[in-house]
Amino acid sequence: MKLLVTGGCGFIGSNFVLYMLETHPEVSLVNLDLLTYAGNLENLQDALPYGERHRFVRGDITDRKLVYDLISEKPDVVVNFAAETHVDRSIMDSFAFVNTNVLGTQVLLEACKEFGVERFVQISTDEVYGSLGPEGAFTESHPLAPNSPYAASKAAADLLCRSYHKTYGLDVLVTRCSNNYGPLQFPEKLMPLMITNALQDKELPVYGDGMNVRDWIHVTDHCRAVDLVLRKSRGGEIYNIGSSSEYPNLHVVRYILQRLSKPESLIRFVQDRPGHDRRYAMDASKLRRELGWEPVTTFEEGMNQTISWYIEHEMWWQRIKTGEYLTYYEKWYGNR
Ligand code: NAD
Ligand code: DAU
């Protein structure tokens, strides 16, 4: 099976590339990634032994010529992970988000239509549904109500996917996953930011009252779900992915401090994120029922493995936490 994976040098994309190479000897893949601030070829060191089964191409999913050239090679499936992904950065400046997340998806869909690609998998997010109150969980039929520019750009891409299925009969699948954590996550997101700041004895900036709830899933469980969807599902479907592991942010932060034997005085409550979604929770029963997927990593196991990974890979995150990262950090957190 030949795959074109986009965004395969980011957090989930690189975990997915490694998972597919390890799990399916018959899979070869082209990995198209622009290497933005969030992309890192170092994430794919472990792909080197797989030789030509992994081919990296640096480029932009909005570059029509490049995308058409790659898709004219007729991959069996295109899996689109490439995106601008950080909600806070979308609040600071949303242009790159609309460009990559909306126009980039359109370019990929057009090319798939043009060259008759059999299947397109769009990696979307629970954030397209907006925010929940204290009860209930999102199902696939929940109305789309995105609240951040990031979420709105992902919802727009989901709607483009729907239209290419309905209008042109393209075999498009959309997966919507909850918050991922695990190795190789860029240290701007809650978990790696808090782990690495704690390791550096820096303050841990918690937004608002710290009681916003996220539904955490280990990245490998997400990768297994995407693998099942791309190989086993019916076209035109949407699948929620989540492992029913809901925790308020403050619980996550305290857990990290406890594991690292660091004091709670490192926590600093800061000005809330504008438009901050209060709670996400995913109903993934369709995926379980139709494709037999089950998450296998418990929150405690996954957290302990993740914390250990950041302790053991200090060079990886120390190299990131320089230059552009520090400028961004100062701009976003400096006056909070
Ligand atoms: P990430 O920010 O770690 O990685 C994004 C990757 O996309 C990077 O390698 C970057 O270089 C690449 N990229 C960005 N713009 C590009 C462009 N124009 N052309 C080609 N490549 C480009 O993101 P992530 O957290 O791994 O998320 C991957 C996907 O999963 C995204 O579509 C995101 O919306 C979705 N998602 C993420 C989560 C999560 O918790 N992280 C949850 C659900 C869904
Ligand atoms: O739910 C899926 C989404 O999860 C993905 O689609 C996004 O790409 C991904 O970035 C993530 O979005 P969140 O906004 O939920 O993740 P983030 O790690 O930025 O924040 C998680 C929670 O922690 C959220 O309630 C905000 C809070 N937070 C975050 C940061 C960065 C803090 O309290 N302090 C912080 O410094």
Side-chain angles (χ1 to χ4, degrees):
M1 184 186 259
K2 280 193 336 187
L3 303 182
L4 174 64
V5 175
T6 71
C9 298
F11 162 48
I12 306 172
S14 57
N15 276 284
F16 180 76
V17 166
L18 294 169
Y19 174 85
M20 293 304 281
L21 291 171
E22 276 163 25
T23 315
H24 299 293
E26 78 285 6
V27 164
S28 63
L29 52 91
V30 174
N31 172 6
L32 171 62
D33 194 298
L34 185 57
L35 296 182
T36 65
Y37 78 92
N40 189 347
L41 257 185
E42 221 183 303
N43 294 358
L44 290 168
Q45 289 282 348
D46 292 347
L48 290 175
Y50 296 99
E52 289 179 2
R53 286 179 57 208
H54 172 242
R55 175 155 68 97
F56 170 66
V57 177
R58 185 173 190 179
D60 194 327
I61 59 166
T62 67
D63 179 341
R64 284 179 74 169
K65 163 121 187 33
L66 174 63
V67 167
Y68 276 52
D69 281 351
L70 291 174
I71 291 187
S72 71
E73 294 174 14
K74 292 270 199 153
D76 299 303
V77 186
V78 173
V79 191
N80 183 27
F81 288 94
E84 289 292 335
T85 62
H86 194 36
V87 171
D88 296 336
R89 289 189 192 245
S90 83
I91 294 167
M92 292 165 92
D93 183 354
S94 62
F95 279 92
F97 286 76
V98 174
N99 192 49
T100 290
N101 301 0
V102 186
L103 298 180
T105 304
Q106 184 199 9
V107 169
L108 291 166
L109 287 165
E110 267 299 310
C112 287
K113 169 167 81 72
E114 223 36 55
F115 292 99
V117 168
E118 282 174 24
R119 183 152 265 207
F120 181 90
V121 182
Q122 171 70 1
I123 306 300
S124 185
T125 166
D126 58 1
E127 300 207 7
V128 298
Y129 297 123
S131 187
L132 284 170
E135 302 294 328
F138 297 125
T139 62
E140 288 82 357
S141 56
H142 198 279
L144 300 189
N147 291 319
S148 70
Y150 161 70
S153 69
K154 293 295 287 187
D158 285 13
L159 294 178
L160 273 174
C161 289
R162 176 190 159 91
S163 76
Y164 273 71
H165 175 68
K166 295 281 179 193
T167 305
Y168 305 113
L170 206 68
D171 182 339
V172 182
L173 290 145
V174 176
T175 63
R176 294 180 178 148
C177 192
S178 61
N179 283 65
N180 284 224
Y181 68 96
L184 299 167
Q185 187 167 31
F186 193 86
E188 64 189 352
K189 308 282 163 61
L190 181 79
M191 285 226 196
L193 175 68
M194 299 298 166
I195 297 169
T196 57
N197 275 15
L199 286 169
Q200 295 177 304
D201 293 309
K202 286 192 175 150
E203 285 181 338
L204 274 49
V206 173
Y207 299 159
D209 61 2
M211 296 311 285
N212 299 65
V213 172
R214 294 294 181 265
D215 185 353
W216 295 98
I217 181 171
H218 191 271
V219 64
T220 308
D221 282 328
H222 184 187
C223 293
R224 280 194 306 104
V226 173
D227 178 25
L228 273 177
V229 167
L230 81 81
R231 286 183 302 112
K232 299 257 163 76
S233 62
R234 286 173 289 129
E237 295 290 321
I238 298 169
Y239 288 94
N240 283 353
I241 307 172
S243 62
S244 303
S245 193
E246 287 182 54
Y247 293 101
N249 296 334
L250 203 51
H251 172 90
V252 174
V253 172
R254 287 193 170 127
Y255 188 95
I256 291 167
L257 288 172
Q258 223 169 36
R259 294 294 307 179
L260 294 175
S261 305
K262 299 284 181 178
E264 290 211 359
S265 56
L266 283 179
I267 295 175
R268 186 161 65 88
F269 289 95
V270 299
Q271 192 190 333
D272 209 350
R273 169 188 279 174
H276 195 177
D277 289 335
R278 191 64 173 168
R279 176 173 165 259
Y280 302 144
M282 285 304 246
D283 178 341
S285 52
K286 178 177 170 182
L287 180 67
R288 290 167 190 246
R289 195 175 57 245
E290 291 188 9
L291 302 180
W293 175 84
E294 288 294 336
V296 296
T297 310
T298 65
F299 182 75
E300 284 73 20
E301 280 164 7
M303 281 296 287
N304 296 346
Q305 179 241 29
T306 303
I307 292 169
S308 300
W309 189 88
Y310 282 89
I311 293 171
E312 287 155 18
H313 293 80
E314 185 170 343
M315 290 291 281
W316 181 89
W317 56 264
Q318 286 281 14
R319 267 201 288 278
I320 291 172
K321 286 184 131 185
T322 55
E324 188 277 342
Y325 180 91
L326 294 180
T327 311
Y328 155 76
Y329 199 87
E330 179 52 31
K331 198 167 160 197
W332 182 252
Y333 293 100
N335 292 322
R336 290 194 97 77

